[in-house]
Amino acid sequence: MNLMPPLAETAGLFADRTRAAFCQALLDGRAWTAGELARHAGVRASTASEQLSRLIAGGLLTEERQGRHRYVRLAGPEAAALVEALTSYAPDTPHPRGLRESVRLSAEARARTCYDHLAGRLGVILADAMTARGLVATDSGLAVTVEGRAWLADALGHRPPPGSRRPLVRACLDWTERRPHLAGALGAALCATALDRQWVRRVGSGRAVKVTPQGARAFRELLGAEV
């Protein structure tokens, strides 16, 4: 019973359309100003400031101030995983509000970022490919294999820093595919490499990304994945 009040308080942070819209927008992994979030959610600046303060106090967001600007971002991978997991339980939107929203949702369903890893159909395809290649094992809980650690170092040039508290791999339930994609240090390294080497590029200012021709070749050669 002692766990109920903190749980109720955290759940209550999502029980508001404006706060929920802020959290979903911040899943792109970038820092937003309060003004940008206010315009995104269609609310007044004073309303945005009040709701952001509640999310910061609740530990879901962190803030940075630079001059007159207030930047906010998700507090970390755990906060992002919580937002994505709750989104996957939400009912599907039957009809997007207009052509622009329909195009955005379709693009995000194909490929998008989920905080600092890849999601959507692309993320699930890559997760399946890593499992098929024996880089990730699922027989006794999700884990990176010895081959996977070597692939992570050789193909992506990533070696987890010693003493890191972040799990090497973690399943993140994809809200459009309703199947897991890969998060954790492995998912973050793959996403960062894909963006840096231009295997994928961002589409507009949202979370959607698009696989480039060189990315399609890289995913095929490295993982045997047809994307």
Side-chain angles (χ1 to χ4, degrees):
M1 293 300 293
N2 291 335
L3 296 178
M4 289 300 291
L7 176 60
E9 290 174 8
T10 300
L13 292 173
F14 296 98
D16 176 88
R17 291 183 180 272
T18 298
R19 294 195 295 271
F22 289 170
C23 289
Q24 286 188 301
L26 290 166
L27 276 175
D28 67 359
R30 293 178 284 189
W32 291 49
T33 66
E36 288 170 339
L37 287 170
R39 289 189 292 273
H40 172 78
V43 298
R44 293 178 299 177
S46 58
T47 300
S49 180
E50 176 185 352
Q51 301 301 347
L52 287 173
S53 294
R54 291 194 61 178
L55 290 168
I56 292 167
L60 289 177
L61 305 186
T62 59
E63 69 172 332
E64 303 170 7
R65 292 187 179 272
Q66 295 185 8
R68 296 184 297 111
H69 294 291
R70 179 193 196 189
Y71 291 90
V72 296
R73 64 172 72 243
L74 288 172
E78 294 80 7
L82 177 59
V83 175
E84 182 81 358
L86 287 175
T87 303
S88 71
Y89 283 98
D92 294 329
T93 303
H95 300 291
R97 293 173 297 180
L99 178 60
R100 185 174 182 178
E101 183 177 7
S102 177
V103 170
R104 176 182 64 82
L105 291 175
S106 179
E108 289 183 355
R110 287 192 296 271
R112 66 182 182 277
T113 56
C114 174
Y115 188 59
D116 63 356
H117 51 275
L118 295 170
R121 194 172 306 124
L122 172 64
V124 171
I125 288 173
L126 295 179
D128 288 345
M130 287 186 178
T131 303
R133 282 287 176 104
L135 306 179
V136 175
T138 59
D139 50 356
S140 58
L142 194 63
V144 178
T145 64
V146 174
E147 293 80 4
R149 290 175 182 268
W151 182 88
L152 188 58
D154 297 338
L156 304 186
H158 178 78
R159 291 175 174 81
S164 174
R165 299 177 60 185
R166 187 173 192 183
L168 193 53
V169 67
R170 180 180 58 76
C172 184
L173 182 60
D174 196 280
W175 69 269
T176 52
E177 293 295 303
R178 304 303 169 107
R179 294 183 56 215
H181 56 251
L182 299 181
L186 173 63
L190 179 59
C191 182
T193 301
L195 288 168
D196 184 58
R197 298 182 185 176
Q198 297 185 353
W199 296 346
V200 300
R201 61 177 177 84
R202 293 190 182 274
V203 179
S205 59
R207 297 170 56 195
V209 297
K210 183 177 182 179
V211 179
T212 64
Q214 58 265 40
R217 288 194 298 271
F219 291 135
R220 186 183 307 113
E221 292 170 2
L222 292 175
L223 294 169
E226 295 293 338
V227 298

